[in-house]
Amino acid sequence: MAENFRTQILNSKGESSSLQTPVRTLGSCTFMYLRHSDLYILMVTKNNANVMMAFKFMTSLVDLFRSYFEGALNENSVKRNFVLIYELLDETMDFGFPQLTEPAALKSFIMQKGVRSELDAAASTQQAKNATLTVTGAVSWRRQGIKYQNNEVFLDVVEDVNLLMSSTGAVLR
């Protein structure tokens, strides 16, 4: 499969730009790729996949890797941080579906350069308990520790009733 990608797509750089598309179907496989400096980020599928989700995930991965590698994402940084990339891919994708790609949330339990924090046992168990909350509740636009005096939820209930009546007042439908 990798050989097919290399021969059909990478070697066709000299062709016209109308044939250069980031999504290409070759045989029964669909290749979706994103080029970042000297790297190709590639996703391959044999099913009818959501292409926009795949490209959003690939661009999110580039942003995530750049945040961990301090802005430089190239061939050398991939070689030096292969274990960290493997760990990040394990956390960001489950069973082929993107999960969490927010760098702030991932940095709370995957330390930079793959080095785990050296906390004592009690503190690490507390951190493990908070990891679930961090993964499920961490959003980039909300600060941590916000407290409100009134916890209120406002709901708008919109009800629609369709009725067809005759001139005598009998319900037709």
Side-chain angles (χ1 to χ4, degrees):
M1 204 177 321
E3 185 67 27
N4 196 11
F5 174 76
R6 187 181 64 78
T7 58
Q8 295 292 323
I9 296 171
L10 297 182
N11 291 338
S12 65
K13 287 183 187 175
E15 295 179 12
S16 67
S17 62
S18 64
L19 296 176
Q20 291 289 323
T21 60
V23 178
R24 178 98 48 105
T25 302
L26 301 172
S28 63
C29 294
T30 301
F31 295 91
M32 298 167 276
Y33 65 96
L34 175 72
R35 185 171 182 191
H36 179 78
S37 63
D38 59 347
L39 296 176
Y40 282 89
I41 293 142
L42 173 67
M43 296 185 102
V44 182
T45 182
K46 289 189 176 188
N47 299 329
N48 188 9
N50 184 345
V51 176
M52 290 306 293
M53 182 178 68
F55 276 98
K56 175 62 179 160
F57 181 67
M58 286 189 283
T59 56
S60 296
L61 279 180
V62 168
D63 293 339
L64 178 67
F65 294 156
R66 288 183 70 200
S67 73
Y68 268 89
F69 307 151
E70 296 157 2
L73 177 60
N74 52 31
E75 184 179 357
N76 291 331
S77 64
V78 170
K79 286 179 182 178
R80 282 180 297 183
N81 298 296
F82 182 77
V83 174
L84 176 61
I85 289 174
Y86 188 81
E87 188 174 355
L88 287 170
L89 286 174
D90 183 45
E91 292 295 330
T92 58
M93 183 174 280
D94 284 331
F95 302 107
F97 293 101
Q99 298 297 317
L100 177 67
T101 58
E102 185 63 38
L106 286 169
K107 283 184 179 182
S108 67
F109 58 94
I110 298 177
M111 305 304 168
Q112 277 190 338
K113 300 189 179 174
V115 177
R116 299 234 179 240
S117 64
E118 296 174 82
L119 302 171
D120 59 330
S124 65
T125 56
Q126 182 62 30
Q127 186 179 12
K129 289 178 185 176
N130 292 337
T132 304
L133 177 64
T134 303
V135 169
T136 58
V139 288
S140 60
W141 48 266
R142 184 171 181 167
R143 295 186 317 254
Q144 292 289 334
I146 298 175
K147 303 282 187 209
Y148 295 100
Q149 290 182 357
N150 296 329
N151 290 326
E152 298 175 332
V153 175
F154 295 99
L155 299 174
D156 290 333
V157 178
V158 178
E159 188 173 336
D160 238 356
V161 178
N162 292 323
L163 180 67
L164 184 60
M165 294 181 69
S166 68
S167 60
T168 62
V171 176
L172 298 176
R173 186 171 28 150

